[in-house]
Amino acid sequence: MATNGTPQGCGPNMDSLYYNLCDLSAVWGVVVEAVAAAGVVFSFVLFVSLLASLPFMNASSKKRSLALQVCFLVFTAGLLCLSFAFIVGKDFATCASRRFLFGVLFAGCFACHLMECVRLNVLVRGHKEPQCWILCLGTLGLWLVEVVINTEWLIITVVRHPLGPPNATAETGRATATPCNIANEDFVMALIYVMTLILIVVVASLAIMAGKHAQWKKEGALILVTNLLSVGIWVAWIVMYVYGNERTGGPTWDDPTLAIALVANAWVFIIIYTIPQFCCMSSDNEEQPDDSENVYVNRVGYETILKEQSSQNMFMENKAFSMDEPSQASKPVSPYSGYTGQVRSSVYQPTELALITKQLGNHAPAQSFDMIIPRASAGSAANSGSSTPSTHNQAGNAAHTPQSGHGLNRTAQW
């Protein structure tokens, strides 16, 4: 920041508090600002996409986890917006927002991850998934713990330390405002609860890998990789903020260190976790045994109907075939004329052989033969049209002709 005039890239009427946003000599401010702004826009697009995909989600478990995903995305966008407070200069408002919101926003992100790990641990072991309101209440409770800690810490430090010296200039007064009068070690120590949440999430995500169902292990792997990268980022910025800045660049590197840590961790959340999770929620990979059972029942019912229709069509074809036979003047009534369309196995239908056998049992053998021979001769004569009845034993046939006719009439009546 220039002391004798406006830095290059900034307007003449701009307040010196915002020089880092436009100063071309301080490249880190412009780069971090651009990356943070892109992250905010991208988070908003993901937020709208998640809400728009809700009507198209068929799996109930994905709908239940949608609230946690939305909350996590809101906290991630808050981290990107908070980075602007570290780019601009120090005053009472910026220093208070830094100290309060840094831990609160990170606690919200890791609280969502912890409750998501709880949900996945339950599912991966085959138990019933917790209700959505239970997961949201758990996230709220974990987040409120950090809110209470930061609120109490901020109030105590503001009341204990006096304001800046009364004869200080504007620049000095801003830099020595009460929320800014805090050592780097104290700032890190106030984030112990957030560090504890990170370690618990890592352990809980490792427990997911010990489950049975591979589908939920994929989501657990996303949480595990995301939090391992977060641990690396936190170790890097804490070492740099507490030890490295004093030996290399001095206090001027404090704000760039925290701003870069915020933006880097927020983009890790978006790229490593939010985008793959959105792709998993948009796909229909969840098993639905109830639907498969319904499909099986419908399929069995459909095949049964086809079998019944085919059997009925077979009987109808047989009936139609019997109607195509050449008509006879003295044709007896068919025993199939009373067919009602019922299944053949459920209705007793005597065949011609059964009728003949019954007639043989009721009459003498001679009468049965006399009865059968004229019927066979008449049938053969009607079907062939060329054969003549046999002249053998004409006297006997003439004698028994009334009996044969009487037998045919009894057969027809039967």
Side-chain angles (χ1 to χ4, degrees):
M1 184 182 299
T3 56
N4 296 327
T6 303
Q8 183 181 1
C10 299
N13 298 327
M14 179 173 290
D15 192 350
S16 60
L17 186 67
Y18 307 104
Y19 279 167
N20 288 333
L21 296 175
C22 56
D23 188 4
L24 297 180
S25 60
V27 183
W28 71 270
V30 178
V31 173
V32 172
E33 174 191 1
V35 176
V40 172
V41 174
F42 196 74
S43 299
F44 179 75
V45 173
L46 286 176
F47 179 79
V48 175
S49 301
L50 281 175
L51 295 181
S53 62
L54 179 60
F56 304 98
M57 293 182 183
N58 297 326
S60 60
S61 61
K62 296 177 182 179
K63 292 181 179 180
R64 291 176 182 175
S65 64
L66 182 63
L68 292 179
Q69 305 301 327
V70 171
C71 293
F72 179 80
L73 194 57
V74 170
F75 285 121
T76 303
L79 292 176
L80 294 169
C81 295
L82 182 61
S83 63
F84 290 95
F86 289 93
I87 298 175
V88 300
K90 294 181 178 180
D91 63 353
F92 186 90
T94 56
C95 290
S97 61
R98 292 177 183 183
R99 290 176 54 183
F100 181 77
L101 294 177
F102 193 93
V104 168
L105 293 175
F106 270 115
C109 293
F110 294 119
C112 291
H113 270 181
L114 182 56
M115 296 310 298
E116 184 70 16
C117 288
V118 171
R119 185 184 73 90
L120 293 176
N121 273 290
V122 173
L123 289 174
V124 82
R125 285 162 178 80
H127 301 293
K128 185 178 180 181
E129 182 182 5
Q131 296 295 327
C132 180
W133 64 271
I134 297 177
L135 299 175
C136 293
L137 283 180
T139 304
L140 181 62
L142 294 173
W143 177 67
L144 287 178
V145 173
E146 180 63 19
V147 172
V148 173
I149 292 173
N150 279 13
T151 303
E152 184 179 1
W153 177 60
L154 184 61
I155 292 175
I156 291 175
T157 53
V158 168
V159 173
R160 179 181 300 176
H161 294 84
L163 296 175
N167 56 354
T169 60
E171 293 293 334
T172 307
R174 286 178 178 177
T176 59
T178 301
C180 301
N181 293 333
I182 183 174
N184 295 352
E185 293 81 2
D186 295 337
F187 183 83
V188 175
M189 290 297 293
L191 300 172
I192 290 180
Y193 177 75
V194 181
M195 300 177 195
T196 305
L197 284 179
I198 299 176
L199 295 179
I200 295 176
V201 171
V202 172
V203 175
S205 58
L206 287 175
I208 298 174
M209 300 295 103
K212 300 179 181 179
H213 301 282
Q215 176 187 358
W216 310 116
K217 289 183 180 180
K218 295 178 182 179
E219 299 184 14
L222 293 177
I223 299 177
L224 177 61
V225 173
T226 303
N227 285 271
L228 288 178
L229 292 176
S230 299
V231 169
I233 293 173
W234 273 66
V235 171
W237 78 258
I238 288 175
V239 172
M240 188 67 181
Y241 189 67
V242 175
Y243 300 103
N245 291 343
E246 295 180 358
R247 299 181 181 181
T248 57
T252 55
W253 284 94
D254 292 344
D255 293 347
T257 300
L258 296 177
I260 293 172
L262 282 170
V263 175
N265 213 150
W267 272 104
V268 166
F269 289 155
I270 293 175
I271 296 176
I272 305 299
Y273 179 75
T274 305
I275 295 178
Q277 188 70 18
F278 175 74
C279 296
C280 293
M281 295 181 69
S282 300
S283 60
D284 294 329
N285 296 329
E286 185 177 3
E287 299 178 359
Q288 297 179 356
D290 296 335
D291 295 341
S292 61
E293 292 179 359
N294 294 333
V295 171
Y296 176 74
V297 172
N298 293 333
R299 184 181 302 172
V300 172
Y302 182 71
E303 292 178 355
T304 306
I305 294 174
L306 288 180
K307 290 181 180 179
E308 293 178 356
Q309 291 181 354
S310 62
S311 61
Q312 292 179 3
N313 292 334
M314 180 182 65
F315 287 115
M316 293 300 294
E317 290 175 0
N318 293 337
K319 187 175 181 181
F321 179 78
S322 63
M323 293 174 64
D324 292 339
E325 295 180 355
S327 59
Q328 298 180 3
S330 62
K331 181 178 178 180
V333 179
S334 175
Y336 298 97
S337 60
Y339 177 69
T340 60
Q342 298 181 356
V343 183
R344 187 180 182 89
S345 59
S346 61
V347 179
Y348 175 72
Q349 297 178 354
T351 59
E352 293 181 358
L353 181 61
L355 295 175
I356 295 173
T357 305
K358 185 174 182 179
Q359 291 295 330
L360 288 176
N362 296 330
H363 299 277
Q367 294 178 355
S368 301
F369 284 113
D370 293 337
M371 174 185 67
I372 295 170
I373 292 173
R375 182 177 181 182
S377 299
S380 61
N383 293 331
S384 61
S386 59
S387 61
T388 59
S390 176
T391 59
H392 177 69
N393 198 7
Q394 293 179 357
N397 291 337
H400 293 283
T401 298
Q403 296 179 358
S404 299
H406 180 69
L408 288 175
N409 293 331
R410 289 175 59 86
T411 304
Q413 291 176 0
W414 176 266

